Amino acid sequence: MNLFQQGAIFDEEGKLLTLRWRTAKVQQLFFYLVQHRGQVVHKTELVELLWWDLDLDKAFQQLYSAVYNMRKTLAPYARYFKIERVSEGYILTLKHIQLDVEQFERLIQTDLPLNDATVRDYEEAADLVNGDYLQGYDYIWTENERQRLQVQWLQLSYKLIAWHYSQQEWEKATARSLDVCSRYPLEEEASLWLMKIFAVKGKRASVHQQYVRLKELMQTELLEQPSPFITEWYEQWKQENKEVPTYEVT
């Protein structure tokens, strides 16, 4: 089961399973319980989240109906999803399911040093994250978890970029940096890494272009200039490479 990018479930052979939810609220209820898997989620929390605009009696009726329909949809996969009514709420248990979020965190929480023996495991972890957490859904309650996992992925990506840079693996360092820039264009550190790689490879025009792109983006999106440490690096590099072209990128 994948939660990065758009939620998706696959069978043992890798075939995508299409779960037909009766309503969008039923689907949202499912993903909310998945996010809080293994935990008791109180009924009042669910009605306040999903049916806040209804009076309490109608809200609880909607909740019971949604739980019924969710169980009905998941019935063919009862071996994998168990929904229990406990105390004043519900608990969803996942069984025999490989969850990409858990796999990612398991790989990065080994706390092993990054070296020749571990770099492939860390790269595997980074590659699991092919988008933001539940990116395809506009659920407000995903934001904290989305940001938490985003920070972890960025930290891992920068760790890998630094490693590849130190090993003079320029293509890998460039690919990781470009991946960060494409997902999060305002990530200044990724732009700085690209500038450093271009500088090492003697691509003076590319260094200048990357700085100008970042400067224009920062100004357009945030009405700010690049951080001082980036500007200082660029100005120092420019002094050491006076032949650098001064044209602006269009």
Side-chain angles (χ1 to χ4, degrees), residues 155-189:
Q155 290 174 342
L156 175 58
S157 295
Y158 288 134
K159 193 174 180 180
L160 285 168
I161 292 168
W163 165 260
H164 293 311
Y165 185 91
S166 70
Q167 301 300 303
Q168 299 184 11
E169 296 172 348
W170 310 124
E171 289 187 8
K172 290 184 177 181
T174 300
R176 289 285 174 197
S177 300
L178 287 171
D179 190 19
V180 174
C181 285
S182 66
R183 299 191 198 195
Y184 311 111
L186 295 174
E187 272 294 314
E188 296 179 89
E189 188 174 345

Side-chain angles (χ1 to χ4, degrees), residues 13-184:
E13 298 177 352
K15 180 181 177 181
L16 178 66
L17 301 179
T18 301
L19 300 183
R20 302 190 182 280
W21 304 107
R22 184 172 179 83
T23 67
K25 288 287 180 69
V26 175
Q27 176 179 267
Q28 186 174 176
L29 173 63
F30 169 72
F31 281 124
Y32 189 79
L33 292 177
V34 168
Q35 177 165 306
H36 297 277
R37 57 197 176 276
Q39 306 172 30
V40 176
V41 182
H42 287 270
K43 291 186 291 184
T44 53
E45 178 181 343
L46 293 171
V47 296
E48 289 172 3
L49 177 74
L50 297 172
W51 296 281
W52 55 269
D53 55 336
L54 300 179
D55 65 61
L56 209 54
D57 288 339
K58 288 184 178 179
F60 277 114
Q61 289 175 10
Q62 289 294 320
L63 172 61
Y64 300 146
S65 176
V67 171
Y68 169 80
N69 283 294
M70 181 174 59
R71 281 178 167 151
K72 189 175 179 181
T73 298
L74 294 175
Y77 314 105
R79 177 172 178 247
Y80 307 101
F81 300 97
K82 183 180 180 182
I83 305 169
E84 298 176 90
R85 182 172 179 175
V86 291
S87 183
E88 291 300 314
Y90 299 92
I91 182 169
L92 174 65
T93 305
L94 306 183
K95 297 181 177 181
H96 315 294
I97 291 180
Q98 181 175 297
L99 199 60
D100 59 351
V101 171
E102 292 180 347
Q103 188 179 0
F104 167 71
E105 296 203 274
R106 186 166 55 249
L107 285 167
I108 65 174
Q109 288 172 359
T110 57
D111 204 28
L112 294 173
L114 181 54
N115 52 41
D116 288 328
T118 62
V119 65
R120 287 187 179 180
D121 288 337
Y122 281 119
E123 287 182 325
E124 179 186 347
D127 291 341
L128 280 171
V129 186
N130 60 356
D132 281 334
Y133 175 75
L134 289 178
Q135 179 178 320
Y137 306 93
D138 189 22
Y139 302 149
I140 295 176
W141 49 265
T142 63
E143 194 57 33
N144 287 341
E145 183 70 354
R146 186 174 292 164
Q147 290 184 3
R148 185 183 71 84
L149 291 166
Q150 182 185 112
V151 168
Q152 289 184 338
W153 181 79
L154 285 170
Q155 290 174 342
L156 175 58
S157 295
Y158 288 134
K159 193 174 180 180
L160 285 168
I161 292 168
W163 165 260
H164 293 311
Y165 185 91
S166 70
Q167 301 300 303
Q168 299 184 11
E169 296 172 348
W170 310 124
E171 289 187 8
K172 290 184 177 181
T174 300
R176 289 285 174 197
S177 300
L178 287 171
D179 190 19
V180 174
C181 285
S182 66
R183 299 191 198 195
Y184 311 111

Side-chain angles (χ1 to χ4, degrees), residues 207-217 247-249:
V207 176
H208 177 73
Q209 291 170 7
Q210 188 64 37
Y211 179 76
V212 171
R213 287 193 188 99
L214 177 62
K215 186 176 180 179
E216 291 179 347
L217 186 63
Y247 61 83
E248 295 292 315
V249 176

